[in-house]
Amino acid sequence: MKVPKNLYYTDTHEWVKVDGDKALIGITDFAQNELGEIVFVELPEESDPVEKGEEFSAVESTKAASEIMSPVSGVIVEVNNELEEAPELLNEDPYKYWIVKIELEDESELETLKDADAYQKLIEE
Amino acid sequence: MKKTALHPSHLKYNAKMVEFAGYEMPIQYSSIKEEHHAVRNGAGVFDVSHMGEIQIVGKEASDLVDYIFSNNVRTLTAEQIQYGFMLYEDGGVVDDFLVYKINDQSYLFVVNAANKDKDYEWILKQNTFDADVIDKTDQFSEVALQGPRSEAILQSLTETDLSSLRTFTFTECTIDGETFLVSRTGYTGEDGFEVYGGHEATRSLFERLIDDYDVTPCGLGARDTLRFEAALPLYGHELSAEITPLEAGLSFAVSFEKEDFIGRKALEKQKEEGLRHRIVGLELLDKGILREGYEIYKDEDRIGRITSGYLSPTLEKPIAMALIDRPHTKKGTEVEIKVRKRMLKARVRNKKFLA
C-alpha cells in the first residue's frame, strides 16, 4: 500500500497535499483498495464553505457509499470534474487524482493531521 | 467464526474475506463487477455452504411441511422443488426458502444461513406430528454454478443428461466420480445449478471448475448484485417479520387453495383489507446511486425506504427496490430520495429490471 512522504493524512483515509494557501484533498491507496472499484463520486459545489470533519463528498463502489470528510476548514475553490465521467481514476492513481481543492482558512489545522509514518502505522494495525 | 470446507480455496484464489451469518465468507475475488458479468455472460461459481439444510423426515413429514409452509407441497412429486415461506401467525415471514421433496416422507429445506437456528427452533415448536426435524447443515458443502455456460460445463463432468433436468427439479448424479445432489436452481436470474455434496468432493469440484473450465469464482458481493437485478428478494431486505409475502409482491408462492397453514388467516385478512405498503422498483432520475436504508419522500411526507439498491452492473443505471406506502406505489409516480444532504428525484417502475 503506497503512502507518499510529502502528504498529510487523516484517520478516515483522506490525504492532503499543501500547495501554497490551498490544499488538494483525495483518498488514500488503502481507502480505494478497501472500497473496490469506484463507480461514482458525488462532488460538492465550487465556492461551498466546509468545516474540518464535515462530510463534503462521497465515493461509491459497487458495494457501498463511503463519505469523505474534509481534513481542513476553508472554501472549496475547485472540484475535479474529471471524476464525474471517470470515477475509476481514484482506483488507478489515488494520489494523482484529487477530489477538491480547498483554500485553507487556518494553516495550524494541518498540525492535527498525521504524517506518512503515523498513517502507515494506522493502516498496519 | 465458522469456516466452510472451501475456505482454503478462497484464500488460494485471493478472496477478500468478510463475516457473514457467523461464517468467514468471500465477498469478492477479482471485482464484484467482473464476477457479475461473468455470471451474466459465461459462468461463475459461488461457495454457498453457509446455507442451512434442515431435513423433515417421518410418516407425517408431508403434514408438518404443509402446515408450516405457505406453498402447496402436496402438488410436488419426488425430486421437485418449491419456493415459499414459513410465516408467523401475523403473516410476517420467518424465512423464505426452497423445499426439496425427496419422497412423501422426506423433505429438505435449504434456508438462509442467518435464519437457520431460528428456523430450526420454529419448526421444532410447531412439530406435533410424527416427524423428525434434523439440522444437516454441517454435513453438506454446497456450490452454485450459474450462468449461460453452466449446463455445457457441468455436462462434461457427468453421464447424467442435464438437458432434461428442468428448472426447480433435482437429481442425484455422479460428477467426476463423486456423488452429488444437483438441482436446477439459483439466485442470479441466470440458468444454473446448485450442487450439494461431501466437503472434500465439493471443494475439489469448486477448484476443478475454476482451474479446468475457466469458471469465475464469485463472492457474496456479486451474489447480491445478481439477485437484486433479477428482483429476487433477500430476507431482511424485501422480506422480514414485518414485511409479508403479499406486500413483497410474492403471492405466487402462497397457496390459498390448500388447507390451513400458519399465517394464512392474517394474509387473507390483509388481502381483504388491502395492503398498506408494497415493494416496488425505482429508477433514479438524478445522478447518484440509491442504497438500502435511504428514506423516500413525497411532498415532504416520508412514504418509505429503499430495501436494496445499486448502480446496476448490467444496465449501468441506478435502480432500487423499495417499500413504499400506497397509493404512491403506482408506476410512474415521482418521489424524492434523501441521499446524504441532497434530495434526488426518482420514479416508481416495475421490478423487471432486466426485461
Side-chain angles (χ1 to χ4, degrees), chain B residues 59-227:
Chain B
K59 234 199 248 164
E60 295 182 339
S62 295
D63 300 316
L64 171 57
V65 176
D66 199 41
Y67 177 59
I68 58 178
F69 193 60
S70 67
N71 214 337
N72 193 353
V73 288
R74 297 206 194 266
T75 63
L76 296 180
T77 56
E79 303 199 328
Q80 285 189 330
I81 300 166
Q82 202 172 49
Y83 173 73
F85 317 97
M86 285 198 297
L87 301 172
Y88 295 107
E89 287 289 353
D90 69 359
V93 179
V94 180
D95 201 2
D96 70 317
F97 55 92
L98 297 179
V99 171
Y100 288 59
K101 177 168 179 174
I102 297 161
N103 58 52
D104 282 336
Q105 297 189 12
S106 179
Y107 296 82
L108 192 68
F109 291 5
V110 181
V111 305
N112 283 301
N115 290 340
K116 192 261 291 174
D117 292 337
K118 176 185 77 174
D119 292 347
Y120 181 69
E121 293 301 321
W122 176 257
I123 300 166
L124 282 186
K125 210 172 108 188
Q126 313 308 326
N127 186 14
T128 54
F129 300 85
D130 183 1
D132 290 320
V133 184
I134 310 162
D135 182 353
K136 296 210 135 181
T137 305
D138 293 340
Q139 297 183 28
F140 296 107
S141 282
E142 184 194 351
V143 293
L145 174 63
Q146 301 281 298
R149 278 178 60 219
S150 298
E151 186 186 307
I153 291 166
L154 201 58
Q155 190 62 79
S156 59
L157 287 162
T158 182
E159 302 280 307
T160 307
D161 175 23
L162 294 175
S163 68
S164 62
L165 186 68
R166 286 172 298 117
T167 306
F168 277 68
T169 65
F170 67 98
T171 187
E172 202 175 276
C173 75
T174 304
I175 301 170
D176 231 6
E178 300 276 358
T179 306
F180 292 91
L181 188 155
V182 175
S183 65
R184 193 149 207 158
T185 50
Y187 194 43
T188 60
E190 298 298 327
D191 186 22
F193 302 89
E194 290 175 299
V195 182
Y196 305 77
H199 298 308
E200 264 319 295
T202 308
R203 191 166 85 84
S204 303
L205 175 63
F206 182 76
E207 296 201 358
R208 180 99 205 266
L209 290 169
I210 295 163
D211 296 341
D212 298 347
Y213 292 88
D214 201 24
V215 174
T216 303
C218 300
L220 294 178
R223 184 166 159 86
D224 201 53
T225 56
L226 287 158
R227 72 91 199 163

Side-chain angles (χ1 to χ4, degrees), chain A residues 33-37 39-40 42-45 54-58 60-65 67 84-85, chain B residues 16 18 27-28 31-34 221 225 287-291 294 309-311 313 339-342 344:
Chain A
N33 186 61
E34 283 293 301
L35 279 163
E37 57 209 346
V39 294
F40 182 72
E42 182 187 274
L43 294 167
E45 300 285 331
E54 185 184 333
E55 293 152 7
F56 70 93
S57 165
E60 306 202 29
S61 66
T62 301
K63 205 170 78 148
E67 283 161 359
E84 202 161 302
E85 290 308 312
Chain B
K16 193 183 277 185
V18 296
I27 182 88
Q28 64 174 70
S31 89
I32 294 174
K33 246 204 269 186
E34 274 176 47
T225 56
K287 270 192 194 155
I289 301 177
L290 300 174
R291 302 278 180 190
Y294 291 177
Y310 284 109
L311 180 71
V339 181
R340 291 175 287 275
K341 292 172 197 162
R342 304 178 189 195
L344 303 185

